[in-house]
Amino acid sequence: MTHDEMTALLERIAAHNPVLFPLFSLEFGDAVVGVERGELLATCRDLFDAGFDRLGMVTAVDRGEVFVLVYRLHSRSLSAAIFVKTQVPRHDPWVDTVVDVWPAALWQEREVFDLFGVEFQGHPDLRRILLPEDFVGHPLRKDYDDPRMIRRPDYI
């Protein structure tokens, strides 16, 4: 999908429901849509209806006061991909699950929960996936501390 075609697609989706798309951009040829966390599920359903039928990944980035959740979506029929990003406050880390839209989110949301502690409301089986059930903490958080960790020197 060309840059112009992707822009036109995003404009059509935004025209359908502009509240769901407070911002979008094209970075390095990939569309990026930012949404409020309360609008994430509705946005994902709209994108699924628009042809984004495959969830490539769900991940998180710890930005200090917030976690940024990143969803990579693909459309086989449109030959296009898009990133959907939403921010989740560290002091209240939850977002609605998208398992009902893309069942592949079942495992990926569990991984984000396990490593970052973000809860996915409505998830049918939200429990640790990589670490033991009795593990304390979420090791990919910047504030995670374990005396066994080897700290990287500041100069690297």
Side-chain angles (χ1 to χ4, degrees), residues 28-127:
F28 306 108
D30 290 327
V32 180
V33 175
V35 298
E36 298 292 328
R37 74 173 166 175
E39 302 297 334
L40 176 67
L41 183 56
T43 300
C44 287
R45 285 185 175 135
D46 278 359
L47 289 169
F48 182 85
D49 292 344
F52 290 90
D53 57 350
R54 183 174 165 267
L55 174 67
M57 69 161 202
V58 179
T59 191
V61 179
D62 187 345
R63 294 282 185 208
E65 294 298 315
V66 298
F67 297 107
V68 177
L69 295 183
V70 182
Y71 298 75
R72 174 82 165 159
L73 310 177
H74 300 268
S75 171
R76 290 174 274 212
S77 62
L78 301 171
S79 297
I82 189 170
F83 287 101
V84 177
K85 297 181 179 181
T86 191
Q87 293 187 352
V88 177
R90 174 181 292 280
H91 64 85
D92 188 24
W94 67 268
V95 69
D96 290 326
T97 183
V98 297
V99 168
D100 290 342
V101 182
W102 300 284
L106 184 75
W107 305 101
Q108 297 178 47
E109 289 179 347
R110 283 181 61 190
E111 184 177 333
V112 172
F113 166 73
D114 196 4
L115 300 176
F116 289 93
V118 176
E119 295 188 20
F120 293 86
Q121 292 187 348
H123 192 285
D125 186 22
L126 193 60
R127 58 187 166 93

